[in-house]
Amino acid sequence: MRRPQEPAPPDGFAEFVAARSDALLRSAWLLTGDAGRAEDLLQTVLAVAWRRWATIVAGGHPEAYVRKALFTTYVSWWRRRWRGEIPGSRPEEPEHGDVAGESANRDAVRRALAGLSRQQRAVVVLRYVEDLSVDRTAELLGCSHNTVKVQASRALRALRTDPNLELFAAWRS
């Protein structure tokens, strides 16, 4: 049986992916808190962008389009997976142990972000990691700027009291 030939990537798509995929994957990881889901999210968005690449490039800002698609896909993403099992609490970690600075920081941030809602997590990443304005964040997420302010306020309140970040702050002091 003859295998169908795979289509060539659209002009400039491979170069865009090579140049920007690391930054996009970092944003996806911050949103999902999981490397595998971040890769799935980015792959899903890039698959959509592949089909529409000529139109996206014609718009003049391909990275802005892909980033918006990344965040909107994340906020509205309903994955087909079984949610019948609820994981138990994690075992307590020892007070004094071998803490590897960068790894501990990433883990504390990942755990803290995992406690936020999808919208709050998207707002935090856009506002404070991507350093976007309230209006730009609202535009990307398709909501009002008041919604962005409320979600950011609630998220920051939750992060300030998050035990994972408090533990990390105590360790760094």
Side-chain angles (χ1 to χ4, degrees), residues 3 10 17 27 44 61 76 81-82 84 100 106 118 124 135 144:
R3 189 174 176 184
V17 171
S27 293
T44 300
H61 301 289
S76 64
R81 58 182 184 165
W82 185 62
R106 282 191 302 270
R118 288 179 175 272
V124 167
D135 291 331
S144 72

Side-chain angles (χ1 to χ4, degrees), residues 127-139:
R127 287 282 293 127
Y128 304 108
V129 176
E130 300 290 330
D131 199 28
L132 297 181
S133 69
V134 171
D135 291 331
R136 183 70 179 126
T137 301
E139 179 185 332

Side-chain angles (χ1 to χ4, degrees), residues 41-67:
L41 175 61
L42 182 57
Q43 183 177 7
T44 300
V45 169
L46 289 176
V48 171
W50 167 288
R51 292 189 301 266
R52 301 178 183 158
W53 190 248
T55 306
I56 294 168
V57 170
H61 301 289
E63 184 170 358
Y65 179 92
V66 172
R67 281 193 181 277

Side-chain angles (χ1 to χ4, degrees), residues 16 22 74 97:
F16 172 80
D22 286 343
Y74 169 74

Side-chain angles (χ1 to χ4, degrees), residues 10-99:
D11 289 339
F13 184 80
E15 293 81 7
F16 172 80
V17 171
R20 300 306 305 152
S21 63
D22 286 343
L24 293 168
L25 186 58
R26 273 192 301 275
S27 293
W29 182 84
L30 286 168
L31 290 170
T32 63
D34 178 75
R37 287 192 311 228
E39 290 170 355
D40 289 346
L41 175 61
L42 182 57
Q43 183 177 7
T44 300
V45 169
L46 289 176
V48 171
W50 167 288
R51 292 189 301 266
R52 301 178 183 158
W53 190 248
T55 306
I56 294 168
V57 170
H61 301 289
E63 184 170 358
Y65 179 92
V66 172
R67 281 193 181 277
K68 180 175 182 175
L70 185 74
F71 287 101
T72 56
T73 301
Y74 169 74
V75 169
S76 64
W77 209 6
W78 292 101
R79 306 261 327 216
R80 283 177 277 145
R81 58 182 184 165
W82 185 62
R83 297 183 190 271
E85 185 175 334
I86 300 172
S89 62
R90 293 187 170 211
E92 289 186 26
E93 295 183 18
E95 283 186 35
H96 303 288
D98 183 22
V99 182

